[in-house]
Structure formats: C-alpha cells, structure tokens
Amino acid sequence: MEISTSILNASNRREVILKLNESLTDYIHFDVMDGEFVENTQFQVEELVELLKVSNKKNDVHLMVKKPLKYIEAIKDLNVEYITIHVEINENISEILDFIKDNNIKCGLAIDLDTDINLIKPYLDKIDLALIMSVKAGYGGQEFEPKVLAKLNEIPNNVKKELDGGIDNKAISLIKSADIVVSGVYILKNIDKNILELKNANN
Ligand code: DX5
Ligand code: ZN
C-alpha cells in the first residue's frame, strides 16, 4: 500500500511539505475545499499553486469543490499525479474527467461517506483512481468508518483504490485491498515514525 500524506491540518504547510520531501511518503495529498461543496474553505488557488511547487513528491489533489475547472486550469502544468473530483457535484463529470486526461494527468473520482457506490460505476472505464471517503468530506481528524471497506470490493482492479480519512495505526489493520491510503492528522503527529508504521502495518 502506498501512503499519501494530507497536509490539511498542518499549521505550517510549507514547512511540513519540506519535511515530507525527505520522508517515505509516496504522495502529498492536497485537500481543496470551496466552502460550498463542503462548508470548510481551504486553499485559495494561489496557495495551492505555491505549495505544489514546494513538493518534490508525487502530488495527489483532492478537489472538494462544486466547480473544479478553475483549479484544474491553474495546476495542469505543475507536477500533479492525480486530480480527483467528487461524483456528487452537479456538473458534467465526464467532460471534467476528459479535461484532466487531456492534460496528461491521471483522473480520480471521489465518493463521500454516505454516497451509494453505484454512482461511480458509469465512470469506471474512464477513471484511473477511485477515492473512497472513510469520513465525511470536509475536515481532517475525524474517526475512520469501517463500513466503507465494502465499497472497495465494488471497484475493479484496473482502477486504483484510495481510501481517505481517519486512518491511523489502528484503522490500517482493517484495510486489506486499498492501493493508496490517505492519512493526515495521524502522520502529522510524528511524520517519519508514523509513515513507517502505516507502511509496515500490512506487510
Ligand atoms: C477530509 C479530507 C482528508 C483528510 C485526511 O475531507 O479529504 O484527506 O484531510 O486527514 P485525516 O487523516 O486527518 O482524516
Ligand atoms: Zn482528501
């Protein structure tokens, strides 16, 4: 399993990215929130661009926003491995996924904690990654919900499976079939030690 570290709850994000650059994390996870799709607001476009430039890891951008296009436009020429949008937004999902792919970036579709997994199924041929929320989208530091693990079985193996939210050294032992796990608050408590604990948990 690969590890994607969320910097959402870092008090000094730039400093944390510099530390993560030297760590064993596989990805840095950027949680972008518009105050509309979720009530929280995080990352103005300018801050997102600046921080992506600080990272020398693969970057994984999770857009919890109603209108993703302006964010995609702003970051499409930067070092971004995945851009993930939410299936619940009221926009033309296929068109946005195509736009991401046309820019040679892998595209992901995220599904919130209480959303039916069937909503993702029409897009499975198109996406590189399915991001399954294991907390309700909006905040870091929430408790992992084991009920979402069943959703992983609904995703075919040619699509990467990413689990996001509440993952610590206890929750990780329940997770068998994810390709990437996102962890924020837990890793930020002790970056090198806790990344190693998550990496070693299921070996
Ligand atoms: C929640 C975010 C998650 C979160 C992960 O809306 O999508 O990426 O920041 O952080 P923790 O591990 O603190 O739940
Ligand atoms: Zn996230």
Side-chain angles (χ1 to χ4, degrees):
M1 254 185 298
E2 292 188 299
I3 307 294
S4 189
T5 302
S6 166
I7 57 159
L8 178 65
N9 282 59
S11 46
N12 186 333
R13 288 172 174 157
R14 193 190 150 82
E15 209 169 273
V16 165
I17 292 171
L18 290 171
K19 275 193 200 150
L20 289 170
N21 282 345
E22 306 301 320
S23 79
L24 288 177
T25 195
D26 299 287
Y27 300 87
I28 298 180
H29 184 89
F30 292 80
D31 286 305
V32 183
M33 306 179 182
D34 62 355
E36 279 189 69
F37 179 69
V38 290
E39 62 179 12
N40 196 357
T41 308
Q42 292 295 333
F43 290 116
Q44 299 304 315
V45 174
E46 298 74 21
E47 188 191 6
L48 178 64
V49 167
E50 283 318 305
L51 291 178
L52 280 167
K53 288 181 184 166
V54 178
S55 163
N56 66 16
K57 291 284 179 177
K58 291 186 280 186
N59 295 309
D60 162 28
V61 178
H62 178 190
L63 295 177
M64 285 164 272
V65 304
K66 269 197 171 158
K67 303 244 173 238
L69 283 176
K70 75 166 181 189
Y71 298 89
I72 301 167
E73 275 289 351
I75 65 176
K76 65 183 168 41
D77 297 322
L78 302 176
N79 161 30
V80 181
E81 188 78 8
Y82 289 106
I83 297 181
T84 298
I85 61 169
H86 264 266
V87 71
E88 300 89 356
I89 60 175
N90 223 354
E91 293 288 309
N92 189 334
I93 301 277
S94 283
E95 216 168 84
I96 301 170
L97 293 173
D98 284 338
F99 183 58
I100 297 170
K101 281 158 97 90
D102 288 347
N103 284 290
N104 295 317
I105 298 171
K106 294 179 196 152
C107 67
L109 202 50
I111 183 152
D112 208 349
L113 184 67
D114 297 321
T115 305
D116 188 330
I117 191 69
N118 285 319
L119 247 71
I120 239 182
K121 292 195 173 156
Y123 306 102
L124 285 174
D125 287 346
K126 231 175 213 207
I127 58 176
D128 299 295
L129 175 108
L131 184 158
I132 312 283
M133 293 298 307
S134 39
V135 299
K136 209 165 165 28
Y139 295 94
Q142 303 177 71
E143 186 134 349
F144 179 77
E145 284 272 5
K147 69 175 187 192
V148 299
L149 291 169
K151 287 182 176 174
L152 292 172
N153 303 330
E154 305 284 324
I155 309 296
N157 284 336
N158 62 325
V159 174
K160 288 257 190 230
K161 298 174 217 187
E162 182 175 50
L163 205 57
D164 182 8
I167 296 170
D168 59 12
N169 56 342
K170 291 191 193 79
I172 193 88
S173 62
L174 305 172
I175 304 166
K176 302 291 172 213
S177 56
D179 299 295
I180 306 172
V181 293
V182 179
S183 176
V185 166
Y186 172 69
I187 288 181
L188 295 176
K189 283 182 198 157
N190 192 336
I191 291 178
D192 290 316
K193 177 173 168 285
N194 290 352
I195 289 174
L196 211 56
E197 272 204 34
L198 294 182
K199 282 211 164 226
N200 290 335
N202 285 334
N203 290 338

